[in-house]
Amino acid sequence: MSAYINQEVKPFNATAFHAGEFVEVSEADLKGKWSVVFFYPADFTFICPTELGDLADSYAEFQKIGVEIYAVSTDTHFTHKAWHDSSETIGKITYPMIGDPTGQISRNFDVMIEEAGLAERGTFVIDPEGKIQIVEINSGSVGRDASELLRKIKAAQYVAAHPGEVCPAKWREGAETLAPSLDLVGKI
């Protein structure tokens, strides 16, 4: 896999459907804030709208903590618009939906299923410096959960703002963290 933790996002240019318009998006748009690049296989399918709808329902919470979401599939931006216009679930989306018909972005993140021309269910959390901090790849038949993604981003943001501390399993905002030290070895 070429998209590793702390690796900088590779350059790309694409067109997205966002807020009723077609807009240009590049890797530069991911810098200066926390971002989620959320790959899914295809528009007009079955699990994908449940995931994208879940993100749409939680989008305000992501925005509150300074996170932008970018949904990406190998469909075109025109197809994204048609899906947005015809589906009640997808019609709720207010984050950018990037078209990747050439597969360049999917290949950059190493989630392209070459024989199918589709992207895996890949989730990438990018820090404000444009570096990947979280990677999650799911089987095509397993949907993702926006609340778990939100929890992981809050943990990543906490650790970035508090050097020397780490977030244990199931950490939630406001819970205790750990400060790795010799004193903790073998005590947890």
Side-chain angles (χ1 to χ4, degrees), residues 150-171:
L150 193 59
R151 184 198 71 80
K152 289 179 186 180
I153 293 169
K154 287 179 179 180
Q157 289 177 332
Y158 183 91
V159 180
H162 298 89
E165 293 183 49
V166 296
C167 295
K170 297 184 180 183
W171 179 88

Side-chain angles (χ1 to χ4, degrees), residues 9 19 24 38 41 45 56 86 89 91 94 106 114 140 151-152 155 159:
V9 174
E24 295 305 307
F38 194 86
T45 56
S86 65
T89 299
T94 56
S106 299
E114 292 295 340
R151 184 198 71 80
K152 289 179 186 180
V159 180

